[in-house]
Amino acid sequence: MKYLHNITYLKAACLLLISISFSCDSEEFLENENKSKLTDQTQWQTEGNADIFVNDVYSEIPRICTLAEQLDYYTDDYNISHYYTASNWRQGICQAPGSSNASPWGGTYGPTNGYTWESFFVKVRKCNTGLKELDANKDNFTPEYYNQRTDELRFLRAYFYSEFFMHVGGLPILTEPLDRNTMSEEELLTPRATFEETFNFIVNELGSIVDNGHLEIKYNSGDPNAGRATLGAALALKGWIELFGASPLFNSGSGYLPDTGNFVHFATADANRWATAAATNKKFIDEYEGIYDLFNDLPNLWRASNEYNSEVIWDRQIVANIGGMGSNYERRGGPTYVLDQYMTWGNYNPTQEVVDQFAMANGKPITDPTSGYDPQNPYENREKRFYDFIVYDGAPYKLDWMPEEDIIYTRIDETYTNPDKTNQIDLAGSTDVGDSGYYQKKRLNPDAAPGNDASGQNDLFYRYAEVLLNYAEAQNEAVGPDQTVYDAINKIRNRSDLPDLPTGLSKDEMRDAIHTERRVELCFENKRYYDNKRWMQQEKTMGVARHNMVIRNTVPSDNSGVWTYSVEPEVKFTPKFEARQYMSPIPQNVIDQNPNIPQNPGY
């Protein structure tokens, strides 16, 4: 049973104490007479009582699997419906809202990924309150408990900062709970820190946690503490944020728009930031490999029965079939019709752009004239990940919850008696059927039929393959494509039965290879948005139409002709990208309440 979700047995008591408690250990609960009577004083008298507060902070990690808008909607990897906030963003419509808003329906403020200014400060306040109370009541805890929970809360605070930092840049650095009864106005109106100051706060906190060594390196499946922060999570996050900061958008010495306060970029360029990121990711590989490693069954990496496998570094626990704790990720995506039954909302529609990144089985890109790729037979002899991740026209489709195999057809078939009850491509975007010619299979729970809270697959935020990719990119930028860069990339390729990269690549060629490998390996994991941003590619990738695969028969009346494959641009949007969209706007009420928080460039 998942430790962080034993709330099932304690829900009534915990809800009286705090709005939603993330977990309570059932055995410890039996040792306490009545948790619902906890006060500010008794909350911190025992480790069991204190854990109710600490576990509630874990509940502040957004359940990404339940969000109507996945961050990939803001990329060139998905085609999406017209009613999402992402559809406005894709048309260059992005402006400062009057107040914090995370609605996915027709908003004009850009991606939130489960965070708003309001919710961010709630998360940070909870962390700071917990740290303050742990310290004030230190004598009530064993040194081991105090050290572990302190560094867990420090990690969570750094994690929340990192997530919001990647969307807005510099943030007010808060390390204690604000109190209008005891603090001056100057103390309450904490100024917005620069990009560099915020970056340094995050990486220094994570580095300190790693150096302390108070946390476990990794928890495995069945461990009662699985889901808590680890040294592996802290070091992986540090390496990622260092790579993020070293990237071109932030590390050029000049902002993408005038930024006199240096809130969205480093004030000076420093090529050594690549080397720092490489060293951190190499430290993870050298010290933790063997404890962490690639999982040998990639398509089943996300399966609930494989939670905390060797590749999992940091995730959020999810429990199936409990209201507010399960996942409805499968309800939103995958083929709309399965075995002639309406099953999903058909939201996850890979574009032709991302499909074209998958190599042939021989490892060559489809653009290589010697690869064997046939545009009129495009799904033959592709690499293994293509078949693991993508549902294409004519694809066999069988998940474990299904009684039998289905074949998914997205082609335009005029012989269908009721085309609206099939997966036939919907170019008009008027139904839940996809409009790209593809559906996603990656990350769908094979054990759970689509439904609200029906899935128990954890939200996986960081995995070992990403550490290898982070290292390869940073090392290539720092020193070029040495053997360690090849080793990291080839390990990922070999896992999916691809041959090694060709030797003798230049730095630029290796950069292209790493970018491609990263896009394929991490597709549909909400990573592409950050990569497009930090590589400064959004103007290129988001300012043009994405493409669909439209399949028609040359004799449509009875399909007696030849099926032809035509790559055609989407028609729903007139895509546009403005430079200001690289970072999200700050709500006006935040600026009104604290004039020390200036707006981001361009808004």
Side-chain angles (χ1 to χ4, degrees), residues 5-36:
H5 288 284
N6 287 338
I7 184 175
T8 313
Y9 305 101
L10 308 177
K11 193 171 184 180
C14 292
L15 285 176
L16 289 172
L17 173 65
I18 39 183
S19 58
I20 300 176
S21 179
F22 194 51
S23 76
C24 308
D25 185 280
S26 56
E27 293 182 4
E28 285 211 23
F29 175 71
L30 295 176
E31 297 169 4
N32 292 272
E33 292 183 0
N34 194 339
K35 298 283 187 181
S36 66

Side-chain angles (χ1 to χ4, degrees), residues 245-284:
S247 301
L249 184 67
F250 314 109
N251 195 21
S252 67
S254 61
Y256 53 87
L257 286 173
D259 175 32
T260 56
N262 298 321
F263 295 117
V264 296
H265 77 294
F266 286 109
T268 57
D270 185 354
N272 288 326
R273 292 190 178 105
W274 290 114
T276 299
T280 298
N281 286 285
K282 189 65 161 60
K283 176 181 173 71
F284 190 108

Side-chain angles (χ1 to χ4, degrees), residues 176-312:
E176 58 181 320
L178 300 182
D179 186 347
R180 62 171 53 93
N181 295 315
T182 61
M183 290 182 170
S184 66
E185 181 175 301
E186 182 179 1
E187 291 173 306
L188 292 171
L189 300 180
T190 306
R192 185 180 182 188
T194 66
F195 183 93
E196 185 165 4
E197 289 167 341
T198 308
F199 171 90
N200 287 340
F201 172 72
I202 295 168
V203 298
N204 289 342
E205 282 288 282
L206 295 169
S208 174
I209 292 166
V210 172
D211 291 343
N212 287 343
H214 296 316
L215 305 180
E216 295 294 326
I217 296 174
K218 176 177 171 53
Y219 292 115
N220 296 312
S221 180
D223 193 299
N225 284 303
R228 293 191 178 278
T230 61
L231 295 180
L235 189 56
L237 179 56
K238 181 175 184 287
W240 158 243
I241 291 297
E242 287 172 346
L243 180 72
F244 185 80
S247 301
L249 184 67
F250 314 109
N251 195 21
S252 67
S254 61
Y256 53 87
L257 286 173
D259 175 32
T260 56
N262 298 321
F263 295 117
V264 296
H265 77 294
F266 286 109
T268 57
D270 185 354
N272 288 326
R273 292 190 178 105
W274 290 114
T276 299
T280 298
N281 286 285
K282 189 65 161 60
K283 176 181 173 71
F284 190 108
I285 295 168
D286 289 346
E287 297 186 9
Y288 295 162
E289 191 168 56
I291 301 173
Y292 293 96
D293 209 340
L294 295 183
F295 186 61
N296 61 9
D297 185 10
L298 179 60
N300 285 307
L301 185 148
W302 292 267
R303 190 188 284 259
S305 58
N306 289 329
E307 288 170 357
Y308 301 104
N309 63 66
S310 62
E311 193 157 343
V312 175

Side-chain angles (χ1 to χ4, degrees), residues 583-603:
M583 285 294 187
S584 295
I586 299 171
Q588 187 58 47
N589 71 327
V590 173
I591 297 171
D592 293 342
Q593 292 165 6
N594 185 352
N596 293 322
I597 300 180
Q599 184 58 269
N600 270 339
Y603 295 103

Side-chain angles (χ1 to χ4, degrees), residues 29-211:
F29 175 71
L30 295 176
E31 297 169 4
N32 292 272
E33 292 183 0
N34 194 339
K35 298 283 187 181
S36 66
K37 294 183 180 179
L38 287 176
T39 66
D40 288 344
Q41 290 72 39
T42 59
Q43 174 81 77
W44 304 97
Q45 284 185 352
T46 69
E47 293 176 1
N49 289 357
D51 263 354
I52 294 178
F53 186 96
V54 174
N55 294 340
D56 178 60
V57 182
Y58 279 93
S59 76
E60 289 291 339
I61 302 170
R63 286 189 301 145
I64 303 299
C65 59
T66 67
L67 298 181
E69 267 195 347
Q70 296 294 303
L71 200 56
D72 280 319
Y73 288 10
Y74 292 83
T75 76
D76 48 343
D77 281 1
Y78 274 155
N79 276 358
I80 57 167
S81 297
H82 64 278
Y83 42 74
Y84 285 111
T85 296
S87 67
N88 284 329
W89 190 87
R90 284 188 172 189
Q91 298 171 84
I93 303 170
C94 190
Q95 57 196 24
S99 59
S100 288
N101 199 321
S103 172
W105 314 117
T108 57
Y109 34 76
T112 66
N113 203 34
Y115 289 78
T116 65
W117 279 81
E118 181 179 352
S119 69
F120 168 73
F121 285 119
V122 169
K123 299 175 196 305
V124 171
R125 181 178 178 82
K126 284 187 177 184
C127 292
N128 288 337
T129 298
L131 289 166
K132 179 180 178 181
E133 294 296 340
L134 282 172
D135 194 59
N137 296 276
K138 187 175 181 179
D139 292 342
N140 294 335
F141 314 124
T142 65
E144 180 182 42
Y145 176 89
Y146 171 81
N147 289 331
Q148 287 179 345
R149 295 299 184 261
T150 294
D151 277 1
E152 284 180 36
L153 288 176
R154 291 177 66 199
F155 171 83
L156 288 170
R157 184 175 62 188
Y159 175 69
F160 295 143
Y161 263 95
S162 73
E163 289 284 288
F164 207 42
F165 166 73
M166 291 189 292
H167 284 270
V168 300
L171 293 161
I173 305 300
L174 303 176
T175 57
E176 58 181 320
L178 300 182
D179 186 347
R180 62 171 53 93
N181 295 315
T182 61
M183 290 182 170
S184 66
E185 181 175 301
E186 182 179 1
E187 291 173 306
L188 292 171
L189 300 180
T190 306
R192 185 180 182 188
T194 66
F195 183 93
E196 185 165 4
E197 289 167 341
T198 308
F199 171 90
N200 287 340
F201 172 72
I202 295 168
V203 298
N204 289 342
E205 282 288 282
L206 295 169
S208 174
I209 292 166
V210 172
D211 291 343

Side-chain angles (χ1 to χ4, degrees), residues 278-498:
T280 298
N281 286 285
K282 189 65 161 60
K283 176 181 173 71
F284 190 108
I285 295 168
D286 289 346
E287 297 186 9
Y288 295 162
E289 191 168 56
I291 301 173
Y292 293 96
D293 209 340
L294 295 183
F295 186 61
N296 61 9
D297 185 10
L298 179 60
N300 285 307
L301 185 148
W302 292 267
R303 190 188 284 259
S305 58
N306 289 329
E307 288 170 357
Y308 301 104
N309 63 66
S310 62
E311 193 157 343
V312 175
I313 298 175
W314 174 235
D315 67 358
R316 193 223 198 266
Q317 293 203 347
I318 303 296
V319 176
N321 301 315
I322 298 177
M325 295 186 184
S327 166
N328 61 5
Y329 187 79
E330 290 74 16
R331 185 61 161 166
R332 298 187 183 280
T336 305
Y337 289 89
V338 177
L339 298 174
D340 300 321
Q341 299 295 313
Y342 174 80
M343 295 300 296
T344 81
W345 299 334
N347 286 0
Y348 311 145
N349 303 139
T351 61
Q352 190 64 45
E353 278 76 5
V354 68
V355 167
D356 285 348
Q357 298 302 303
F358 288 83
M360 301 297 287
N362 57 23
K364 296 180 179 181
I366 67 170
T367 53
D368 186 330
T370 67
S371 68
Y373 177 71
D374 179 0
Q376 293 304 310
N377 194 14
Y379 310 134
E380 289 295 315
N381 299 318
R382 301 296 290 272
E383 63 161 290
K384 183 176 182 296
R385 287 176 297 189
F386 174 78
Y387 303 107
D388 291 339
F389 295 172
I390 304 293
V391 182
Y392 53 92
D393 179 78
Y397 190 72
K398 174 64 170 72
L399 302 183
D400 290 356
W401 61 266
M402 296 167 55
E404 59 184 301
E405 183 179 87
D406 198 359
I407 304 294
I408 305 300
Y409 290 104
T410 63
R411 61 189 61 181
I412 296 176
D413 189 341
E414 295 185 10
T415 68
Y416 284 142
T417 56
N418 192 348
D420 290 339
K421 297 294 184 181
T422 70
N423 292 304
Q424 175 175 289
I425 190 170
D426 177 20
L427 294 173
S430 58
T431 70
D432 284 345
V433 174
D435 61 354
S436 73
Y438 302 101
Y439 293 96
Q440 171 186 332
K441 184 163 64 173
K442 183 183 185 182
R443 291 180 61 199
L444 298 184
N445 187 348
D447 297 321
N452 291 338
D453 293 309
S455 176
Q457 288 191 153
N458 288 356
D459 275 330
L460 206 172
F461 303 133
Y462 294 104
R463 58 187 178 97
Y464 186 62
E466 187 173 356
V467 173
L468 294 174
L469 289 162
N470 292 349
Y471 171 72
E473 180 180 344
Q475 182 71 357
N476 184 60
E477 298 298 337
V479 303
D482 65 17
Q483 187 59 47
T484 66
V485 174
Y486 277 95
D487 291 345
I489 294 299
N490 287 336
K491 184 168 185 174
I492 294 172
R493 289 172 61 86
N494 295 164
R495 194 245 305 259
S496 293
D497 299 333
L498 285 175

